Amino acid sequence: MDFKYDRIYNGWIVFGILLGLSIRILRNGWYDVRSAIAAMLLSFCILYPLYKIGALGAGDVKLIIMVGSFESANQLLRVIVVSFIIGSVFSIGKMILEENFKERMQYLFSYMSDVFHTGQWKLYGENLKDDYKKYKSNKIHFALPVCCSVMLGMGGLF
């Protein structure tokens, strides 16, 4: 859905959260729902600032919140970290394929320098809109790194 429509529909997110909570209730009773809600709130608190600066889409944040309905807070933190590692590998690969690695790194360092000097966050990528026409997009679909991370976690690799 993320690749085809460039969004993740809320209906699927709600369905996933209800499924995750239901599974937790069946396994461990209502007590585990509090643990799920804590994990979901933790993921929101971690990812919301990245959403606010445009580094993540709302669907990406909601997708990881949904993962929190299935996972413990500790496992969810691992999923988030591994998702970002996989996403960075995908991003580097995309920049190499599109031959814009140097320009993107210059923009990143300029952005970070500006944030450091002004002390204020701004929307990341605002100055890259012209690149959107030259390259397919200034982003990757983060649902795939999240999916890969969840599968690696389920497979016992972390």
Side-chain angles (χ1 to χ4, degrees):
M1 183 180 304
D2 193 20
F3 282 92
K4 187 172 183 177
Y5 301 109
D6 200 31
R7 64 185 316 236
I8 300 170
Y9 291 114
N10 289 336
W12 286 110
I13 298 294
V14 170
F15 174 75
I17 289 172
L18 293 175
L19 181 63
L21 293 175
S22 298
I23 289 170
R24 289 179 88 141
I25 290 169
L26 291 173
R27 276 195 207 150
N28 302 316
W30 285 97
Y31 174 77
D32 211 27
V33 171
R34 287 185 282 179
S35 175
I37 292 172
M40 292 165 40
L41 285 172
L42 176 66
S43 62
F44 176 79
C45 291
I46 291 170
L47 300 174
Y48 184 72
L50 296 173
Y51 163 73
K52 285 300 285 179
I53 65 167
L56 285 177
D60 302 323
V61 174
K62 291 183 285 188
L63 181 64
I64 294 175
I65 290 171
M66 181 190 72
V67 172
S69 71
F70 289 89
E71 301 286 354
S72 68
N74 287 337
Q75 184 66 12
L76 182 63
L77 288 173
R78 290 183 193 107
V79 166
I80 291 170
V81 168
V82 172
S83 295
F84 278 100
I85 292 169
I86 293 169
S88 66
V89 170
F90 288 178
S91 296
I92 290 168
K94 182 176 181 176
M95 288 185 284
I96 290 170
L97 286 173
E98 292 181 349
E99 300 176 349
N100 64 355
F101 184 84
K102 181 180 175 185
E103 293 89 350
R104 296 294 173 103
M105 290 298 105
Q106 287 173 336
Y107 181 83
L108 174 64
F109 292 126
S110 172
Y111 173 84
M112 294 306 293
S113 175
D114 188 41
V115 168
F116 180 74
H117 286 84
T118 64
Q120 294 184 343
W121 291 93
K122 63 179 183 175
L123 189 61
Y124 185 83
E126 191 67 22
N127 300 337
L128 293 174
K129 289 187 178 180
D130 293 337
D131 283 352
Y132 190 85
K133 296 169 190 149
K134 185 177 179 184
Y135 307 105
K136 291 179 185 169
S137 171
N138 294 326
K139 65 179 183 174
I140 63 165
H141 293 276
F142 198 60
L144 182 58
V146 171
C147 180
C148 292
S149 177
V150 168
M151 290 189 313
L152 289 170
M154 289 175 63
L157 293 175
F158 64 86

